[in-house]
Amino acid sequence: MIAEPGRPRTEVHARDRRQDTEFATVADDYLLGRAQPEEQRLQRQINDLGPDSAAQFDLIGISPGEQVVDLGCGPGGVLHLLAERVGPAGSVLGIDRSPHFVEQARRFVAGRGLSQVEVREGDAYDTRLPRSAFDGAHMRLVLVNVPEPERIVREMVSLVRPGGWVASFEADYLPHTCDPPLPAWHRLLEAYKAYSMAHGIDLFVGRRTHRMFREAGVKDICVVPVIHVYPPGHDRRPILRDFIGNLSGRLVKEGFLTQRKIDEDMAALENHLSDPEVLVTSHLFYRLWGRMPL
C-alpha cells in the first residue's frame, strides 16, 4: 500500500476502496474489449512478451525495496516481473479498469505468493493516487488501445517522485505483415485500422511515445525497439485473427465489413497462416524509459 507522507496507510486504503465504485462508472474505451477471448489472449501475452519486458526492466535497473505502479495491468501482465525486482521489501501496485481483470490479476499474484503486489480497480486517465509517491511507473500496450494517450502519459508521470523512473512498452503497426501477401490480410487489417481511427485510437502510437513522455517532463529518455518473426505454432502468429475476432460484431455493426466478408477472409487467413513457408512479422515494439528530473 502506498501512503502519502504523514498520512496513515489505513486512511489512504479506505479512501481508495471508496473510489473503486466510482471507477466502475467510467466508460471503458479499450479497443479490444473485455470478453473471454481477449482475457485468454492477454493471459498468453504474459509469457509471450515476458522476455522482452524482463530485458527492459534489467536495463532500467530497478532496485530492491522500490515502490512501483503498473497501469493497465490486465489479468497479470508484468506484475510478477516487477515483484521479482523490487523484492519482498518493495511493493507493486497494479491498476486496471475491469473488475474482472482485477480479480484475475489478484489470483495471478496470489498463486505465485507475491505478497508485495496489490491490485486495484482504477482509471489510468485519473488514478487518484498520491502525486510523486512512487519510485517508478510502467505500462505495456495501453496507449495503442485507447483514445487520448497523452492524458494517460501525463497521469502516469505525475505519480513518480523526482529522480524516479518511468517506462513504457508500446506497439506500432507499421511492419505487421505477412509474406507472401494475402488480400484477406490486407482487407482485415485496413478495416481494423479504419475502425481504430474512427474511435480516436492510434495504432502507430509507438513511434511518438518518446515525444509524449518528453513533453510530460521525462528526462534522459532511452528507446530500444524490438521486432519478431512469428513461426508456425507461436501464440502471436495469428494475432490479427484474434483482434478481428474480438471486434467482428462491432466491425459489422458500424459498417466496416459485412459478416460474410469477415467469415471469408478469416478462413483465407487461417489457411494462409497454417503454411509454414508464410513469414509473419510482428508489430514494432518501442521499449522506452527515462527519469523524472530532480
Side-chain angles (χ1 to χ4, degrees):
M1 176 62 60
I2 308 299
E4 295 181 51
R7 174 174 286 186
R9 288 172 177 247
T10 53
E11 183 177 346
V12 175
H13 182 79
R15 181 196 64 189
D16 292 332
R17 290 302 183 201
R18 288 195 300 272
Q19 290 168 355
D20 283 351
T21 58
E22 297 173 18
F23 288 135
T25 66
V26 179
D28 190 345
D29 295 319
Y30 179 67
L31 174 63
L32 295 168
R34 307 282 185 174
Q36 186 177 19
E38 176 62 4
E39 176 188 335
Q40 293 170 342
R41 186 191 71 79
L42 289 173
Q43 289 173 339
R44 295 192 299 271
Q45 184 169 276
I46 293 172
N47 292 325
D48 293 339
L49 298 183
D52 293 332
S53 286
Q56 180 182 17
F57 295 153
D58 289 342
L59 290 169
I60 293 169
I62 302 170
S63 300
E66 288 189 349
Q67 293 187 326
V68 303
V69 60
D70 182 49
L71 300 185
C73 66
V78 300
L79 296 176
H80 60 306
L81 300 177
L82 290 170
E84 289 174 4
R85 285 153 179 80
V86 303
S91 69
V92 178
L93 176 60
I95 298 290
D96 200 272
R97 274 183 121 169
S98 164
H100 180 64
F101 281 5
V102 167
E103 180 58 32
Q104 291 295 312
R106 287 171 177 166
R107 292 177 184 175
F108 176 80
V109 299
R112 287 160 177 74
L114 303 176
S115 59
Q116 72 272 53
V117 180
E118 179 184 0
V119 185
R120 297 186 208 163
E121 187 180 339
D123 182 358
Y125 291 100
D126 181 14
T127 63
R128 307 187 190 184
L129 292 170
R131 308 293 93 172
S132 304
F134 295 88
D135 299 301
H138 169 268
M139 60 182 161
R140 185 175 75 183
L141 300 180
V142 172
L143 304 181
V144 75
N145 286 305
V146 296
E148 300 183 88
E150 293 86 355
R151 286 179 53 204
I152 294 180
V153 168
R154 290 194 297 270
E155 174 67 15
M156 178 181 178
V157 167
S158 75
L159 303 178
V160 180
R161 65 167 176 79
W165 58 268
V166 174
S168 167
F169 184 121
E170 277 303 337
D172 189 308
Y173 277 57
L174 180 63
H176 189 40
T177 189
C178 66
D179 190 80
L182 179 71
W185 173 291
H186 178 75
R187 282 191 296 269
L188 292 171
L189 185 56
E190 288 305 306
Y192 184 69
K193 291 177 182 176
Y195 176 89
S196 301
M197 184 179 298
H199 288 263
I201 294 170
D202 181 7
L203 297 182
F204 307 95
V205 71
R207 69 187 68 176
R208 61 188 181 96
T209 51
H210 73 105
R211 283 192 282 121
M212 288 192 286
F213 280 97
R214 190 172 289 110
E215 290 166 1
V218 180
K219 305 296 183 183
D220 302 324
I221 290 175
C222 297
V223 180
V224 176
V226 62
I227 193 167
H228 298 283
V229 169
Y230 296 135
H234 194 286
D235 284 340
R236 294 183 73 85
R237 183 174 171 90
I239 198 164
L240 178 59
R241 177 205 65 190
D242 295 343
F243 289 167
I244 297 298
N246 283 350
L247 284 177
S248 59
R250 285 178 277 172
L251 290 171
V252 172
K253 182 178 180 180
E254 299 186 25
F256 290 93
L257 287 172
T258 65
Q259 188 61 57
R260 179 178 178 180
K261 180 53 67 176
I262 289 177
D263 292 343
E264 291 174 352
D265 284 350
M266 290 282 268
L269 178 62
E270 195 77 39
N271 183 63
H272 197 59
L273 295 178
S274 68
D275 183 346
E277 295 186 2
V278 171
L279 182 141
V280 177
T281 304
S282 74
H283 311 112
L284 178 59
F285 298 110
Y286 288 92
R287 296 175 297 180
L288 173 152
W289 63 95
R291 292 277 172 181
M292 296 304 298
L294 293 169

